[in-house]
């Protein structure tokens, strides 16, 4: 029997970086994405907020603090855009060789899919703390696994500090199970699909991932993470992509993942018409794009 691994890896991470990812469930790599690229994503984001050449399939999420009140134009009303896989400018982030090669090192395999894309535009908090993102595990939202073959690359589009609500992570939490999630009972309201861990102990030790523009955090889908309120007057932006290798398979979600699945399928049915038969994996099949190798499954 062959003892060779079934896949090739890019070998761009040092052994210390790989060991750190395995121990902590994340690594931060400095200056991965050039500032000129970040500017092109920013410009394209602003165009989409102005509804210019909106790519098919994209989801524009309005911020809860604004969605309830009057119509507001431009980026002020938009908390996140998702599913930009058909937008050449934004999707070029997902195919950057310097990102994909690190992802290859982490998840292994030579067939890599971009599964989920987001540009997060955390608004200045209006005093309601609605700009927070509750502590959660991304695997709660995914109907595919194994988790070790999935990795997120999340790039700071500007300086990230505790003041503007940088990412907050619980090192080592990726070694634990997937926990029950649900909407937090926040007085000011919660953004759509911002499900958080229901029994999260607020005293859990955490790391504030302060980063410079272009720095990228790579993290495991079971890593517990979230982000704080943005206490500045600017919009805090990050761009991200979740990748999976072709060893991943779709499966029937259960527990609190089911609530997320029902919500997502509900949104898809609204878009395509209520009588369209669409399953949760179908939603993901539409989102998924190959970035390396061949599309074997997913
Ligand atoms: O950028 C952030 O504030 C956190 C984003 C995040 O964790 C998510 O959208 O799942």
């Amino acid at each position: 029997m062959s003892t060779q691994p079934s896949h090739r890896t890019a070998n761009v991470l040092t052994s210390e970086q790989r060991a750190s990812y395995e121990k902590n469930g994340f690594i931060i790599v400095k200056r991965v994405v050039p500032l000129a690229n970040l500017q092109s994503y920013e410009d394209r984001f602003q165009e989409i907020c102005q509804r210019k050449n909106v790519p098919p399939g994209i989801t524009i999420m309005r911020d809860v603090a604004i969605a309830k009140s009057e119509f507001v134009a431009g980026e002020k009303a938009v908390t996140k855009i998702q599913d930009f896989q058909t937008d050449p400018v934004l999707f070029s982030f997902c195919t950057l060789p310097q990102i994909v090669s690190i992802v290859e090192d982490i998840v292994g395999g030579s067939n890599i899919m971009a599964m989920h894309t987001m540009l997060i535009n955390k608004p200045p908090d209006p005093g309601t703390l609605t700009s927070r993102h509750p502590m959660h595990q991304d695997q709660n939202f995914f109907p595919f696994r194994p988790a070790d073959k999935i990795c997120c690359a999340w790039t700071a589009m500007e300086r990230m500090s505790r003041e503007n609500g940088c990412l907050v992570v619980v090192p080592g939490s990726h070694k634990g199970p997937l926990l029950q999630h649900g909407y937090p009972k926040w007085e000011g309201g919660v953004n759509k699909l911002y499900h958080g861990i229901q029994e999260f102990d607020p005293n859990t030790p955490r790391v504030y991932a302060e980063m410079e523009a272009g720095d990228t955090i790579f993290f495991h889908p079971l890593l517990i993470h979230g982000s704080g309120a943005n206490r500045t007057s600017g919009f805090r932006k990050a761009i991200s992509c979740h990748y999976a290798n072709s060893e991943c398979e779709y499966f029937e979600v259960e527990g609190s993942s089911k609530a997320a699945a029902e919500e997502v399928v509900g949104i898809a049915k609204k878009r395509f018409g209520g009588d369209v038969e669409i399953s949760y994996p179908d939603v993901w099949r539409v989102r998924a794009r190959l970035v390396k190798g061949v599309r074997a499954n997913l």
Side-chain angles (χ1 to χ4, degrees), residues 4 36 57 66 145 187 201 246 267-268 285:
Q4 291 293 310
I66 287 157
R145 60 184 179 202
E187 263 176 43
D201 176 358
S246 58
I267 295 168
R285 282 187 191 98

Side-chain angles (χ1 to χ4, degrees), residues 112-132:
I112 310 280
M113 301 289 290
M115 298 300 293
H116 187 222
T117 53
M118 295 190 286
L119 194 155
I120 306 127
N121 183 48
K122 189 190 275 290
D125 198 278
T128 52
L129 296 179
T130 45
S131 66
R132 288 174 298 171

Side-chain angles (χ1 to χ4, degrees), residues 127-244:
T128 52
L129 296 179
T130 45
S131 66
R132 288 174 298 171
H133 197 131
M135 299 301 273
H136 64 282
Q137 295 163 300
D138 290 339
Q139 186 66 51
N140 183 60
F141 302 94
F142 299 156
F144 49 90
R145 60 184 179 202
D148 286 347
K149 306 294 175 192
I150 303 170
C151 173
C152 179
W154 183 103
T155 297
M157 290 175 63
E158 60 207 284
R159 180 153 208 285
M160 297 282 159
S161 62
R162 284 186 70 172
E163 218 198 340
N164 67 3
C166 64
L167 216 62
V168 183
V169 302
V170 179
S173 52
H174 66 303
K175 294 190 174 157
L178 178 60
L179 301 167
Q180 286 292 305
H181 287 61
Y183 276 114
K185 294 179 182 62
W186 289 347
E187 263 176 43
V190 187
N191 277 313
K192 217 166 169 35
L193 280 163
Y194 278 29
H195 299 187
I197 294 169
Q198 272 171 347
E199 304 291 331
F200 184 72
D201 176 358
N203 298 315
T204 309
R206 63 194 73 188
V207 166
Y208 293 88
E210 297 201 310
M211 293 157 69
E212 300 299 328
D215 294 354
T216 302
I217 178 168
F218 295 84
F219 63 93
H220 189 283
L222 285 170
L223 184 78
I224 297 175
H225 67 285
S227 59
N230 177 1
R231 298 175 200 275
T232 69
S233 56
F235 288 79
R236 189 231 72 183
K237 291 187 183 58
I239 186 165
S240 75
C241 180
H242 284 89
Y243 299 89

Side-chain angles (χ1 to χ4, degrees), residues 71-129:
F71 176 75
V72 178
E75 76 162 335
K76 284 197 171 66
V78 177
T79 202
K80 190 189 263 193
I81 56 175
Q82 291 201 146
D83 308 325
F84 53 68
Q85 66 277 357
T86 60
D87 188 84
V89 176
L90 293 179
F91 193 71
S92 68
F93 165 76
C94 307
T95 57
L96 286 174
Q98 62 270 42
I99 298 245
V100 176
S101 57
I102 292 175
V103 170
E104 266 189 285
D105 257 7
I106 291 170
V107 300
S110 36
N111 304 321
I112 310 280
M113 301 289 290
M115 298 300 293
H116 187 222
T117 53
M118 295 190 286
L119 194 155
I120 306 127
N121 183 48
K122 189 190 275 290
D125 198 278
T128 52
L129 296 179

